[in-house]
């Protein structure tokens, strides 16, 4: 008899999926897109919240500096945009299986799923870290700006380096997501 291995081969031949192109591979791609979006937006939300608190505290005594102090909030929003870019790029590359005759033919490899998951994690985690850094610097920086306006340039330089963390994640995510992913074998 064919036993278990024979029935597995029969199942692989019937539905077209294989170890290189399992039915669950798109899950990992979409998970990468979701994580990029969620983690980067979590960082952007934290950065906006934390910097906004500092602006509110400083604005009570120095309302003339509020417009200058909005820069950390804008920079935190940029981190969310990085996550959006990554999520859109990944989600456009995930391919659903197509129905050929009475069987499904996979279009998306496990390698592509892993690559897109890594892409989403790299961009999302970098965005989260950048958002946290922007929030902390934005909070303390704007409060300090209210007491000493000469600190503005220093605060901006620190914010630029914090934003760069998110940009590095975006670059790595783009490299991961554009790597060759192979093709599914024909059955």
């Amino acid at each position: 008899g064919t036993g278990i291995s024979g029935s597995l081969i029969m199942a692989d031949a019937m539905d077209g999926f294989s170890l290189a192109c399992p039915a669950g591979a798109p899950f990992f791609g979409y998970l990468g897109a979701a994580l990029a979006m969620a983690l980067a937006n979590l960082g952007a939300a934290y950065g906006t919240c934390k910097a906004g608190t500092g602006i509110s505290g400083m604005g009570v005594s120095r309302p003339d500096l509020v417009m200058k102090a909005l820069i950390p909030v804008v920079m935190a929003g940029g981190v969310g945009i990085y996550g959006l870019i990554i999520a859109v790029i990944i989600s456009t590359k995930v391919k659903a299986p197509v129905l050929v005759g009475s069987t499904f033919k996979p279009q998306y490899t496990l390698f592509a799923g892993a690559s897109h998951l890594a892409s989403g994690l790299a961009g999302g985690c970098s965005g989260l870290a950048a958002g946290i850094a922007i929030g902390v610097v934005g909070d303390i920086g704007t409060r300090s700006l209210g007491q000493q306006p000469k600190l503005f340039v220093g605060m901006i330089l620190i914010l630029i380096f914090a934003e760069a963390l998110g940009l590095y994640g975006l670059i790595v995510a783009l490299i991961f997501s554009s790597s060759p992913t192979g093709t599914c074998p024909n059955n």
Side-chain angles (χ1 to χ4, degrees):
T2 57
I4 293 175
S5 63
S7 63
L8 287 177
I9 293 170
M10 182 66 116
D12 284 349
M14 286 176 52
D15 62 13
F17 294 102
S18 64
L19 292 177
C21 298
F27 168 78
F28 295 107
Y30 282 124
L31 181 62
L35 286 171
M37 193 74 224
L39 292 173
N41 279 333
L42 191 61
Y46 180 84
T48 301
C49 175
K50 193 85 166 134
T53 323
I55 293 167
S56 298
M58 181 270 308
V60 172
S61 59
R62 294 292 306 266
D64 56 312
L65 294 175
V66 169
M67 291 310 286
K68 267 182 144 177
L70 284 175
I71 292 173
V73 173
V74 173
M75 294 180 85
V79 172
I81 293 170
Y82 297 159
L84 174 66
I85 291 168
I86 296 164
V88 167
I89 288 172
I90 291 172
S91 64
T92 59
K93 293 185 176 193
V94 177
K95 298 176 188 166
V98 294
L99 189 60
V100 178
S102 62
T103 63
F104 283 101
K105 182 173 175 11
Q107 305 287 312
Y108 192 71
T109 64
L110 184 58
F111 185 84
S115 173
H116 294 151
L117 177 60
S119 175
L121 282 170
C125 290
S126 295
L128 179 60
I132 291 171
I134 289 169
V136 171
V137 171
D139 181 22
I140 303 299
T142 54
R143 291 176 194 267
S144 301
L145 180 66
Q147 295 174 11
Q148 177 54 266
K150 291 180 182 178
L151 293 173
F152 180 72
V153 173
M155 179 185 77
I156 295 301
L157 287 173
I158 295 168
L159 286 169
I160 289 169
F161 285 113
E163 178 86 18
L165 298 173
L167 190 58
Y168 300 152
L170 173 66
I171 292 167
V172 169
L174 292 175
I175 291 169
F176 283 170
S177 68
S178 66
S179 66
T181 57
T183 58
C184 293
N186 292 326
N187 288 337

